[in-house]
Amino acid sequence: MESAGKSVEERIAESYRQDEDMMILVFAQWCVNHGLDPAELYRKAYPDQPDNERLTRVLELTVPKEEAGEIQDQTLLGVLSMFGNEDLAIVVAEAAATLGPDKK
């Protein structure tokens, strides 16, 4: 039985997109916090994909490092893995390993 408004499938899909946007925001803010270019890391992880429009849109929601809360590397890696972004998680882990203690 279909109720008025959105179907269960539509609500689930919308919720997933919102969660995915939050994952993108966490990634983008982590990059900003460490002086890294999120689009560059994304291209390194997914060289055959076009620029990610959602990443570009979400970048507008990031705040300067001084205003942002700290995002632990492991938190970001866990969120990326949860959404199946293993290639991006690998690139992030490599970038995190190159950051000196003064950048963390």
Side-chain angles (χ1 to χ4, degrees):
M1 181 171 118
E2 215 40 54
S3 64
K6 296 181 180 176
S7 70
V8 171
E9 292 85 6
E10 288 172 321
R11 287 195 305 270
I12 290 170
E14 184 176 317
S15 176
Y16 184 82
R17 277 191 300 276
Q18 289 172 348
D19 290 348
E20 205 172 31
D21 281 348
M22 185 56 66
M23 177 265 305
I24 295 168
L25 179 57
V26 170
F27 163 69
Q29 189 63 58
W30 180 89
C31 290
V32 168
N33 290 358
H34 292 91
L36 301 170
D37 179 358
E40 184 181 317
L41 288 185
Y42 185 87
R43 277 191 299 275
K44 187 174 179 183
Y46 305 109
D48 297 331
Q49 290 187 13
D51 287 346
N52 187 315
E53 290 179 25
R54 289 172 75 189
L55 175 58
T56 302
R57 192 170 18 102
V58 168
L59 269 173
E60 296 173 10
L61 303 175
T62 60
V63 296
K65 176 182 179 177
E66 299 75 31
E67 297 176 25
E70 184 177 350
I71 300 170
Q72 297 292 325
D73 300 346
Q74 290 305 316
T75 299
L76 174 58
L77 294 172
V79 169
L80 292 174
S81 291
M82 190 169 64
F83 281 88
N85 286 309
E86 306 303 334
D87 292 341
L88 189 54
I90 290 167
V91 170
V92 165
E94 290 171 354
T98 65
L99 297 171
D102 58 325
K103 285 262 196 164
K104 287 202 164 210

